[in-house]
Amino acid sequence: MVLSEGSVYNARDYGLVGDGVANDQPALQALVDRLGEAYADDGRARVIHCPPGVYSIRDAGTLWRSGVSLVGDGMGATTFVLSNEGNRVEPVPLAYFTVVQHGASRENHIADCTFARFEIDGSGVKLARYDYLAKGLGLQYVMRGRFRDLFIHDTAATGLGCDFLQDTVVEGVVAARCGRLDTGQQMGGAGIGIGIGGWGTSERLTVSTCTAVGNGTNGIFLELQQPNWSPPRGIRITACHTEDNRFGISDWGADGLVVNGCTMIGNHEAGFDVSAQGTCGVAGRGGIVADCIIDANILDGLSIGNTPGRYIVRGNRISRNGRYGYREHNLARDSIPAHEVVLDGNEIWENGLDGVRIEAGLIDGAVVNNRIRDNGRRQAGAASGSGERVSYTPTAVCDSGADWLPDGHRGKMVTVGNWTAVVAANTATEMLLAPVRPGATTAWAGGTPPAGATYRLPEAPPVRPGITLAVATTDLTLRHNRVWNAQQHRSQTHALWITADGTHGSSNFQDNDFVNNAIAPTRLDTPHPT
């Protein structure tokens, strides 16, 4: 069929059916190839328009070309259904172009492509074992790319898994339940996962107004791909929502990442993570997290470690997280201290244990102008119950005879025989439980416990401060913070706890308000500064 004149091509005119039955992948590949060749000849980008319908993409992904865009008529109207029933080892991304398979590079990149206004359903891809290539979109080395108004869900690996994006915008993408075959410890498995470093020290990328819910590893993450590459600058994540992922947003290797105005709630390990957990073991550095809501994550609100430092955490609400509000710590393999990490002007309240916990070396850090209150909510004593008053659902424990302190068991592990689950929140008679993994509809592995079975909850930790120094720090500034209890049941035991391992040589502590904590303003287990 001869290509028509113009820049927009109706997919139905070139062999795609969109009835959910016919395999539309061969026709899509043929059209992409023809339009890519035309772009190579005249430099004029073309658009494939897919009218409303269900387009089946079976047994092979589509190798993408420069100058070819794919546009539908909206989420729920234009849907691409990925499946591999004819070849169970084939990962079947909708579109791909990679270093390993196609020689993608700075010199051999794809350019001027838009993917917009459609849905990708990856639930039909079945694999005997996890394959990180089983993505919704898997493109590498993209110049002037646009990913807009997409709904990507139920992929075996990462939903939008594109690397080395230059002069590119990712906007209005919804990624849900992606990474469904990832155990949480494997490569990829995110909602939106972007490998970085391929373009050098500057990668101009904006991720905005995206939503990532229930994905196997990260909601949104950036990951340096080679340890000898320089972490790139120029990346921004703004106005995004991440919920019920292993990590909400992660910086695993950028320089100067800006995260602004985002919501990170109900994620399992941390709302925001900086660490060396990525492919090449390099953490981000020099970033800014500002004006975000970081609330009710199962463990920590922010977890920062393995970084050279110069991170700024400013003007955020850090609240109701199950363990620590802010945690500075390193993975075991790295003991190098961070430099010049700053916590400035944050509202830090009602976290399960410490509001701020520093347990990785810190030089020239600053904790200034923060309001830290009512932390240590995990204050309820040990408890147990059984019999007719006790019942279980996939996401709750109910004890009609209990009188628990509201949220007093936040972050605890409840044990019922061989079952365990994490308490996300509690009322006087009901404990709400965290899902057993991102995207799960139950908190229990192996079925719900039977009614009447005995549950047990451990004792509360005796020390639950606003700020903890549990490691050597040098030239730390702790100034103009108010650290107190504002609630009737005072849960925050101390404003400041310096543990036996916590030293603070040449530090500057002044003008802090440590009044009205449950036990005392301070607890100093190291008697003198060193």
Side-chain angles (χ1 to χ4, degrees), residues 28-389:
L28 178 61
Q29 183 67 77
L31 183 54
V32 168
D33 288 342
R34 294 179 69 184
L35 296 183
E37 291 169 2
Y39 173 84
D41 288 341
D42 62 17
R44 182 167 59 85
R46 274 84 170 172
V47 176
I48 299 172
H49 172 234
C50 291
V54 177
Y55 297 84
S56 180
I57 305 298
R58 293 202 295 270
D59 301 330
T62 303
L63 173 60
W64 215 255
R65 302 283 294 268
S66 284
V68 182
S69 295
L70 184 66
V71 177
D73 278 340
M75 307 177 192
T78 299
T79 301
F80 294 94
V81 176
L82 312 180
S83 63
N84 65 345
E85 58 263 37
N87 186 357
R88 288 301 188 194
V89 299
E90 182 63 39
V92 193
L94 172 60
Y96 70 132
F97 178 75
T98 72
V99 173
V100 173
Q101 295 159 297
H102 313 111
S105 67
R106 294 191 204 183
E107 295 75 25
N108 182 32
H109 61 266
I110 61 174
D112 302 325
C113 299
T114 293
F115 297 85
R117 305 188 68 235
F118 58 79
E119 176 180 340
I120 300 175
D121 179 353
S123 62
V125 175
K126 313 293 184 184
L127 298 165
R129 60 181 181 179
Y130 179 75
D131 186 338
Y132 72 91
L133 296 173
K135 304 175 179 181
L137 294 170
L139 307 169
Q140 293 183 314
Y141 285 101
V142 178
M143 177 78 75
R144 296 184 298 275
R146 296 293 184 268
F147 302 85
R148 288 190 170 128
D149 299 328
L150 303 173
F151 177 29
I152 306 175
H153 60 92
D154 296 297
T155 53
T158 298
L160 193 156
C162 297
D163 304 336
F164 319 133
L165 306 180
Q166 190 70 291
D167 298 323
T168 291
V169 174
V170 179
E171 181 180 22
V173 173
V174 177
R177 303 180 302 279
C178 298
R180 58 181 167 79
L181 295 185
D182 196 315
T183 63
Q185 306 294 327
Q186 295 165 296
M187 295 173 60
I192 299 172
I194 299 171
I196 59 176
W199 291 102
T201 59
S202 177
E203 290 190 356
R204 300 175 292 273
L205 167 68
T206 298
V207 180
S208 67
T209 59
C210 293
T211 299
V213 178
N215 299 291
T217 56
N218 294 272
I220 303 171
F221 80 106
L222 304 167
E223 182 181 51
L224 191 69
Q225 295 296 290
Q226 295 292 336
N228 59 322
W229 286 355
S230 297
R233 296 159 295 149
I235 304 173
R236 295 170 291 174
I237 300 175
T238 183
C240 292
H241 180 97
T242 60
E243 181 176 355
D244 188 28
N245 311 284
R246 183 182 173 206
F247 300 99
I249 298 175
S250 293
D251 179 0
W252 293 349
D255 182 1
L257 171 66
V258 176
V259 178
N260 179 259
C262 294
T263 305
M264 296 165 252
I265 65 174
N267 299 288
H268 290 232
E269 293 200 26
F272 182 79
D273 183 71
V274 177
S275 71
Q277 298 200 59
T279 297
C280 63
V282 176
R285 72 283 315 275
I288 298 173
V289 181
D291 302 324
C292 294
I293 301 294
I294 306 168
D295 181 70
N297 296 287
I298 307 308
L299 291 181
D300 302 329
L302 295 94
S303 178
I304 294 183
N306 307 111
T307 176
R310 295 187 174 174
Y311 237 95
I312 298 172
V313 179
R314 183 181 62 218
N316 303 284
R317 170 184 152 183
I318 306 169
S319 58
R320 298 188 298 197
N321 299 289
R323 187 167 61 183
Y324 307 123
Y326 172 90
R327 184 188 186 198
E328 179 105 13
H329 78 114
N330 288 336
L331 300 180
R333 63 177 178 267
D334 187 352
S335 60
I336 299 174
H339 289 71
E340 301 174 36
V341 175
V342 176
L343 276 69
D344 181 9
N346 299 286
E347 293 284 327
I348 303 174
W349 47 269
E350 292 190 15
N351 296 287
L353 297 178
D354 312 7
V356 174
R357 185 175 181 87
I358 298 174
E359 55 186 49
L362 181 60
I363 298 172
D364 290 321
V367 181
V368 295
N369 305 315
N370 300 285
R371 287 160 47 90
I372 304 172
R373 63 193 184 277
D374 300 332
N375 296 289
R377 290 303 299 270
R378 196 188 299 177
Q379 62 179 312
S384 64
S386 62
E388 62 182 15
R389 71 184 197 183

